[in-house]
Each structure stands twice: as structure tokens, then as C-alpha cells.
Amino acid sequence: QLQLVESGGGSVQPGGSLRLSCAASGRTFSASTMGWFRQAPGKEREFVAAISRSGSSTRYADSVKGRFTISRDGAKNTVYLQMNSLKPEDTAVYYCAATNTFLSTFSSEYRYWGQGTQVTVSS
């Protein structure tokens, strides 16, 4: 079992930054690829970023490449999403998730999910 709790969401102006955190509890954190997804109102959940068990490999959606950075701290059982140069189209609920599939971009392959944290980008 793995429990995931996101934090760090909020409201920010375009061009601003936020850092999301996902605290994990459970023995399987170190064995899991961790991912971030987001879901905007009226849209399907979409992949944002993923990081491998070791932290040495990452994958990003084209829409966030160069602006977002995913990282993980094994000692703290926490994964982060640093979001810079935020745009209104980044507004969504952001979810942290865990999978055994290496750097998967498919939400159906993620077994464990957090409750989500709202990010709003607006002037």
C-alpha cells in the first residue's frame, strides 16, 4: 500500500512559480515510478511528468518541457513538481501518482493516487 498526499497548490499570476509536493507513506515508494497528472474542468486527466525510481530518468509532456521540473527525495519519501513560467492553461487539479511501469504516461497504469491540489493561474 502507498498513500500519497499533495500540497503546494494555490493561485498565481501568469509567469509566476509554484512548487508542488507529494508526500508518500508506505514501503513501495522507493520501488515506484512517480508521476504528476492534471485535470482541468471539462477535460480528461493528462500526463504532466514522471520520474524513475532512482530519480535519474524523467519524462515530460511537451506542453511543460522547459518550464516544469520533477524531482524526488528518497530520504523524505517526497516527490516535487517545480512549475515556472506558469500560464493560464496550466490551471487544473494536479495529482500525484505511483506506478510500477517505468516512466509511464498512461493514467491507467498508475495504481496509487493522491487527492489532488488545485493550481490556478490567472491575472
Side-chain angles (χ1 to χ4, degrees):
Q1 284 287 353
L2 192 64
Q3 290 79 43
L4 304 173
V5 179
E6 302 97 334
S7 61
S11 295
V12 64
Q13 293 186 340
S17 298
L18 283 174
R19 188 177 80 156
L20 304 183
S21 299
C22 173
S25 59
R27 295 186 302 167
T28 58
F29 174 77
S30 62
S32 302
T33 278
M34 299 299 297
W36 286 96
F37 288 77
R38 66 186 182 186
Q39 188 166 19
K43 295 187 177 181
E44 293 188 354
R45 191 170 297 189
E46 66 174 0
F47 170 77
V48 175
I51 187 166
S52 63
R53 294 181 297 175
S54 67
S56 61
S57 298
T58 57
R59 179 171 289 166
Y60 296 92
D62 288 343
S63 59
V64 307
K65 276 181 183 176
R67 300 189 298 122
F68 291 11
T69 302
I70 189 171
S71 61
R72 66 191 296 166
D73 185 333
K76 296 182 178 180
N77 277 7
T78 300
V79 63
Y80 303 97
L81 186 68
Q82 178 66 45
M83 306 186 295
N84 299 328
S85 302
L86 283 162
K87 305 175 180 180
E89 51 263 43
D90 294 318
T91 296
V93 177
Y94 283 71
Y95 297 90
C96 172
T99 180
N100 291 329
T101 305
F102 182 72
L103 295 182
S104 174
T105 64
F106 299 101
S107 60
S108 60
E109 293 182 337
Y110 284 76
R111 180 177 181 182
Y112 300 102
W113 291 84
Q115 82 290 349
T117 185
Q118 176 71 46
V119 171
T120 302
V121 185
S122 174
S123 55

